[in-house]
Amino acid sequence: FLLAIIVDSYCRVAERAKDNEAVDMFINDTVHIMVTPFLRRTHGWPRNRALLKSLQGAGRPDDEPVSLEELMSYEGPRGPYFKTHKAAQSYMDYFAQKVSGKLATVLPPKAEAP
């Protein structure tokens, strides 16, 4: 009888944990922590902290999306953080997956095939 109560309680907790987004986010964040430094070097991205300081120093509202052109305009002591639009775009694409909606891509729409 006691075992049945324990198993039943475990099943209820396990069912609730299955839909828990925090567990998924933890795994996702762990992967990002390991992958981002490699991608940063591969794509020529700046360090997140340096870009964050520039965004904060710009005095812009935190809840407004950042455009590609605005991202390209930030500079550090060694020049622009992003040397090419491709680097800035890949940065935005990567983090848009993670932040869902905080970074907005401002590019002309692609022409549809006839």
Side-chain angles (χ1 to χ4, degrees):
F1 179 73
L2 182 59
L3 181 60
I5 293 172
I6 293 170
V7 170
D8 183 53
S9 296
Y10 173 79
C11 288
R12 278 190 256 144
V13 170
E15 185 64 32
R16 279 188 251 147
K18 184 170 44 172
D19 298 327
N20 189 345
E21 291 181 24
V23 172
D24 292 338
M25 291 172 63
F26 174 77
I27 294 167
N28 194 16
D29 287 346
T30 303
V31 169
H32 281 284
I33 287 170
M34 293 184 289
V35 170
T36 301
F38 171 75
L39 292 174
R40 185 174 58 78
R41 285 189 284 288
T42 303
H43 294 289
W45 298 344
R47 294 189 179 275
N48 292 341
R49 184 172 292 152
L51 187 57
L52 177 62
K53 282 185 178 182
S54 290
L55 288 166
Q56 290 172 334
R60 58 184 322 284
D62 290 341
D63 59 347
E64 279 189 19
V66 178
S67 71
L68 180 64
E69 294 303 321
E70 182 181 0
L71 201 60
M72 291 288 299
S73 72
Y74 293 115
E75 295 188 12
R78 297 181 186 148
Y81 284 130
F82 295 97
K83 308 295 186 216
T84 65
H85 275 75
K86 184 178 178 181
Q89 184 66 55
S90 66
Y91 184 87
M92 291 182 77
D93 290 343
Y94 179 73
F95 284 101
Q97 297 171 34
K98 186 168 174 49
V99 184
S100 60
K102 296 294 182 188
L103 298 174
T105 305
V106 183
L107 292 176
K110 293 181 181 179
E112 292 183 24

